[in-house]
Amino acid sequence: MTTSRKLQAVIEAVAASDGAGVKLRRSLGSRQNQRFDPFLMLDEFFSDDPDDYLAGFPSHPHRGFETVTYMLDGHMRHEDSFGNRGDLGPGDVQWMTAARGIIHSEMPQQTAGRMRGFQLWINLPSREKMKPAAYRDIPSREIPTVALAGGGELRVIAGEFEQGGTKTAGPIGGLSTAPLYYDLRLPHGSEATIPTPISHNTFLYVYEGDAVVGEDAKPLPFRAAGLLTPGGSVRIRAGEQGVRLLLLAGKPIGEPVVQYGPFVMNSPEEIQQAVIDYQRGQLAVAS
Ligand code: FE
């Protein structure tokens, strides 16, 4: 019997603005050094007001990590310096490994209605920070949904989920941080015990309703990230209104992190190099 994880810290999402003025809520990464190795940042964007999102994220660089965009509502278009183009609609995921460098834009393709989703930043180990950039669009239909034994459901975006001896693999696997990316929906009165690799740092993010987490039943409120203690599983109970939440787990990298905006490297010298490469137009080149 492995240890069950408990809530160790709660990070409430705070209002932030990024890109050309997109209003969003940042939990992980909202303060300096507030990371959970290998996770660097989690943003939720949610608005029914086009003024909050129309400006989008015009052309900007990334180096040294991965960005994962998960749309719940709305329509965004990605275009990058390698000529990739992708449309993201409800339920779709874009998994972009910036690594050595990419310059891209992420722009809304709607002028009204709801825009809702998440962007997660996952760090790369030093040996992978300068590998060629890669990019994948994952349509919603390729993301399996599992009915949970205790009620509710779970979408497997990355990694595997095991229940009753049956394994369900998500479309993303084989990465060195071995991430789990689950989207859970638990109706009121239901609970789930979700297995998590002992080697992984694991956190939750509640985006609808609220939850009670761990054997010691600590509350995790709406729009907050809950960092968990080490363990082999986590018990989650839905609150009065039920709950929708993300479960994110990854193998820690254990290396120094130096971040300068969209560049995340191991040393200040590598950051300087990223800035120079970007200025010289050599950040995003095929290698
Ligand atoms: Fe970006």
Side-chain angles (χ1 to χ4, degrees), residues 243-267:
V243 68
R244 292 184 73 182
L245 57 85
L246 306 180
L247 183 152
L248 299 155
K251 204 188 279 183
I253 294 168
E255 293 176 358
V257 176
V258 182
Q259 177 170 3
Y260 178 70
F263 306 135
V264 181
M265 303 300 288
N266 298 112
S267 71

Side-chain angles (χ1 to χ4, degrees), residues 27 37 48 53 70 74 118 123 128 146 152 174 180 252:
S27 48
D37 189 9
D48 296 317
Y53 59 75
Y70 177 31
F118 306 94
N123 205 3
E128 292 183 43
V146 179
L180 297 185

Side-chain angles (χ1 to χ4, degrees), residues 57 60-62 67 96 104 106 119 121:
F57 302 87
H60 61 278
H62 292 285
T67 70
M96 190 180 83
H104 75 158
E106 301 151 291
Q119 188 166 95
W121 288 11

Side-chain angles (χ1 to χ4, degrees), residues 33 35-40 64 123-130 176-177 201 251-259 264-267 270:
N33 299 320
R35 307 184 183 103
F36 201 38
D37 189 9
F39 301 106
L40 303 165
N123 205 3
L124 286 170
S126 58
R127 66 180 181 279
E128 292 183 43
K129 282 184 180 293
M130 293 298 277
S176 58
T177 52
N201 279 336
K251 204 188 279 183
I253 294 168
E255 293 176 358
V257 176
V258 182
Q259 177 170 3
V264 181
M265 303 300 288
N266 298 112
S267 71
E270 289 169 341

Side-chain angles (χ1 to χ4, degrees), residues 133-170:
Y135 161 92
R136 250 188 94 178
D137 272 324
I138 301 137
S140 185
R141 66 176 180 278
E142 289 179 15
I143 298 169
T145 300
V146 179
L148 293 166
E153 60 184 28
L154 180 154
R155 300 188 88 207
V156 188
I157 294 167
E160 285 187 338
F161 174 69
E162 184 170 356
Q163 178 177 256
T166 304
K167 278 187 183 171
T168 304

Side-chain angles (χ1 to χ4, degrees), residues 183-204:
D183 180 12
L184 282 88
R185 183 201 302 262
L186 299 177
H188 169 64
S190 68
E191 73 168 68
T193 298
I194 309 294
T196 55
I198 291 182
S199 55
H200 283 33
N201 279 336
T202 304
F203 77 103
L204 310 173

